[in-house]
Every structure is written in C-alpha cells, then in structure tokens.
Amino acid sequence: MGREDSEDYRSILQHGAPLLDTRSPIEFSRGAFPGAVNLPLMNDAERHEIGIRYKEAGQAAAIELGHELVQGELREQRIAAWCQFARDNPGGYLYCFRGGLRSNTAQQWMREAGIDYPLVRGGYKAMRRFLIDELLLSVAQARLVLIGGKTGTGKTRVIDALARQVDLEGLANHRGSSFGHLVDPQPSQIDFENALSIGFMRLLAAGEAPIVLEDEGRLVGRLALPEQLREKMQSSALLLVEEPVVQRVQVIYEDYVLDLQARYRARHGAAGDAQHRQQLLDGLARIQRRLGGELYQQIEALMQQAFAAEAALAESLHRQWIEALLLQYYDPMYDYQMGKREGEVLRRGNRAEITAAAAELSGGLL
C-alpha cells in the first residue's frame, strides 16, 4: 500500500522531502521550493489555451481540452518522467498550484502506470502560505547574532565556518554590494523567502541557541529582506570583524577579481574575461553619483588599466582601485550606518577571533 497524501507541510519542508512540481514552467519560475523539480502536466502554451477555454466555456470544457492537448505519445512521455522521478525519490510528493485537478490527474495517470505516489493537499499555495506564516513566527522566536564589519573583513567567511547560521547572501546568490552580482542570476523574491523560511525553521527545530547572520542592508542585490527580519536585525547583538586594510584588500581581490574571473571563465570560456571586466565596470557605474565625478574617473581608469595590463602589474592596479574604494567610499558609508545601529556590540576582533566567538555563542563550527 502506498503512502498517504499529506498536508503536514512542516514535515515535508523541514526534512527536505523530494517534490515533484506539476505546475507550468512559468508558474515554477515565479516561485518554487528548494530542490523541487518541475515536470509539468501542461506547458505554458497548453495552460494558456486551457485557461481561455475555462473562461469561455467552463471547467468541463477546459478538462476536455486538456485531455485533447495532452494525449498519445506526449502523455506517455510526461507519465514516464513522473514515474522515473518517483522511482528515484521514493519518499517524495507531487503537487500543483492548489492540490486540485492537475496533481490529481498526474497522480491518477501514475497509478494507471503502476506507481502510487502521494500528493500534497492544498498544493503550492498552501505550502507557500505556511512558509510566510512560519517565517514571521521564526523571526519572532529566534535569537539573532549578527556578524558585522567593514567591507572586505571576510564576514561571509565567518558565516561559512559556522554550523548554526543562515547565509543570506548565499540564498540570494549575491555578494551584497554594488559589485556583488554573480554569474548565475538571483532567484525570485518568492524563492528567496521560501528558502529563508525553511532555513530558520530547520535551525529552530534543532535547538534554541542563537542563529548567526551577516549584517545586511535592506536589499541583497535586488532581493529584499522581509521587513520583520530587517527590523529585528537592526536591534540584534553584533560581533564585529576588524582587519587591517591590506587584509581587506586581499579578500576583495580574491573574491571579486580571482574568484569571479574563474567563474566567468568556467561558464563562458575565453569570452568570460570580457564579461567579468564589464560586470565590475557596471558595478562602479552604479555608484558613480555617490562617488562623485573625479573619484569615479580615477577608479575607472585604474580598473581599465588593470584589465589591460600584464599579470604582475594587473594585480597591483587591481589592489589600488580596491583600496581607493574601501577607504574613500565603503568605510565612510559603514561609519555612517554604524552610527544608527541599536544593537549591542558583544565583541570586536580579527576574523579568527570572531569566528571562535560566534561558534561559542551559536553551538559550533561546521
């Protein structure tokens, strides 16, 4: 006998049950759950046609059209893909938007093919609502400790070393600054919020120790932190990483020059260098107004020279524009923002010291 359909959203999401999403690709792109696989009952064009028929002639006519559009070899291909997913993921579930016609149809067709696979009652909409509500509860319940510090102190490296943390920049696929865009695009706002809610839920289920976050602004790239979380972060305790300028320049050089260049080369081959260069120039252009014309021109010239120079000289020039940005733009902005902070500073120290302090507070390293 197969497993039963479920509306235990907490268990499904907290334990990372495999999820087969039968919604159309456009629905999936607007919002999904971490790790869910989109194997739609209908593609976007088919769903559009059925939607028109539903409005014009009602549900029965729309269902009839659906069977006309998805039949024969096409139907068999889709059933085969669902069945393969079920065999590969025996502990999973399938769902559609509301847990209605599409997921029931997929479930029935799979049964006819010999596989009984449970569905999520209420579908995507119910699980999304659960995660919205759960995030509010988690933020209210959680004790937060933030890792702060000037740009380039390696705050993300502290986060990466800890077991009990939520990596906001990792979930947002962005490094948080004007230069923070990575090779792959950011997720949708809904995807970000879903992953954030699940991350908090799992940590809170594992214990009551503080959860560590990197101190972030309202936005991580184009993604907004939920307002309740942002408000709580404003008054949360801080551990501040302090490193000399030379070390901070090294971190930025490693992350934004070496690592980012390697990512572009891995994705685009020889064309990656030009795209990497353009991304950094675009990042500089985004803060041109705040830099002022003279400083912007100086830094852009150094950046252009660095990309045109031979390797040894290029490294020196990259370090020059990085240091200029840190001292003349990011540091004054940091000092201004820290002046408005409400949270207590628990400790200041270098990266190793703050990593150890955060681990002691939150329950250990990875």
Side-chain angles (χ1 to χ4, degrees):
M1 185 174 178
R3 292 176 298 120
E4 294 184 354
D5 298 342
S6 178
E7 53 188 355
D8 186 355
Y9 312 130
R10 180 179 303 278
S11 178
I12 290 169
L13 295 166
Q14 184 173 305
H15 297 105
L19 294 172
L20 193 168
D21 188 320
T22 64
R23 296 175 301 155
S24 67
I26 194 169
E27 292 174 285
F28 186 81
S29 70
R30 290 170 181 158
F33 305 113
V37 174
N38 186 217
L39 296 172
L41 173 66
M42 297 176 291
N43 63 31
D44 295 332
E46 291 159 354
R47 178 172 172 267
H48 179 67
E49 286 188 51
I50 289 169
I52 293 173
R53 180 66 62 87
Y54 180 87
K55 290 178 182 178
E56 293 177 346
Q59 184 181 50
I63 292 172
E64 182 181 355
L65 177 59
H67 285 287
E68 292 174 8
L69 292 173
V70 185
Q71 62 175 314
E73 184 178 353
L74 183 60
R75 170 176 156 155
E76 295 308 312
Q77 289 173 351
R78 292 179 186 175
I79 293 171
W82 298 332
C83 290
Q84 187 60 53
F85 180 93
R87 286 189 289 269
D88 293 340
N89 301 279
Y93 295 85
L94 66 87
Y95 63 89
C96 62
F97 184 65
R98 291 187 180 88
L101 184 60
R102 283 182 287 179
S103 55
N104 277 279
T105 298
Q107 187 183 57
Q108 181 59 38
W109 288 358
M110 291 173 72
R111 281 178 180 154
E112 293 170 1
I115 291 183
D116 193 0
Y117 206 62
L119 59 79
V120 177
R121 297 193 190 102
Y124 171 84
K125 185 177 182 181
M127 285 197 289
R128 167 67 177 155
R129 181 72 258 170
F130 169 79
L131 286 178
I132 291 171
D133 295 340
E134 189 65 21
L135 183 57
L136 295 178
L137 293 173
S138 294
V139 169
Q141 177 185 349
R143 290 186 292 152
L144 304 181
V145 173
L146 305 188
I147 304 299
K150 293 180 177 180
T151 300
T153 51
K155 299 182 290 295
T156 301
R157 298 179 187 194
V158 175
I159 294 291
D160 288 345
L162 301 173
R164 193 169 171 80
Q165 49 88 354
V166 175
D167 182 1
L168 298 173
E169 292 185 0
L171 295 179
N173 195 41
H174 196 279
R175 286 185 170 140
S177 74
S178 300
F179 299 87
H181 295 279
L182 298 173
V183 177
D184 293 321
Q186 291 190 262
S188 71
Q189 179 70 31
I190 291 174
D191 284 2
F192 175 63
E193 292 171 3
N194 286 345
L196 188 59
S197 182
I198 291 170
F200 269 104
M201 180 172 60
R202 289 173 177 171
L203 290 174
L204 289 171
E208 298 179 353
I211 294 171
V212 183
L213 307 174
E214 183 172 342
D215 191 17
E216 299 284 356
R218 186 177 64 85
L219 297 174
V220 184
R222 60 170 175 76
L223 299 179
L225 294 183
E227 189 58 32
Q228 293 84 353
L229 176 60
R230 181 64 195 142
E231 288 176 1
K232 186 154 186 174
M233 290 171 67
Q234 276 294 105
S235 59
S236 294
L238 285 158
L239 296 170
L240 295 182
V241 186
E242 296 181 340
E243 294 282 354
V245 171
V246 65
Q247 294 297 331
R248 295 166 57 207
V249 170
Q250 178 65 24
V251 167
I252 298 298
Y253 178 71
E254 290 174 0
D255 288 352
Y256 290 86
V257 179
L258 299 181
D259 177 71
L260 195 56
Q261 181 184 60
R263 293 180 188 227
Y264 271 102
R265 286 177 173 176
R267 175 61 58 86
H268 300 290
D273 286 356
Q275 295 187 40
H276 172 225
R277 169 182 169 276
Q278 190 59 50
Q279 175 168 319
L280 292 182
L281 289 169
D282 289 344
L284 186 65
R286 280 189 285 273
I287 58 174
Q288 178 177 357
R289 181 178 59 83
R290 285 174 283 173
L291 287 172
E294 183 177 352
L295 181 57
Y296 170 77
Q297 291 173 7
Q298 291 173 0
I299 293 175
E300 187 203 24
L302 283 170
M303 196 179 283
Q304 295 277 23
Q305 291 167 28
F307 279 106
E310 296 295 327
L313 179 58
E315 179 175 343
S316 173
L317 290 168
H318 277 304
R319 291 178 184 276
Q320 288 180 48
W321 69 255
I322 291 170
E323 183 171 340
L325 267 180
L326 290 178
L327 296 180
Q328 299 184 63
Y329 175 69
Y330 282 106
D331 286 4
M333 182 168 60
Y334 170 82
D335 291 338
Y336 171 76
Q337 291 170 343
M338 281 298 294
K340 300 191 296 181
R341 288 303 305 258
E342 303 169 14
E344 176 188 4
V345 176
L346 300 177
R347 181 164 181 182
R348 301 172 185 265
N350 62 34
R351 192 159 62 242
E353 291 167 341
I354 295 303
T355 300
E360 183 177 355
L361 282 171
S362 64
L365 303 172
L366 283 173

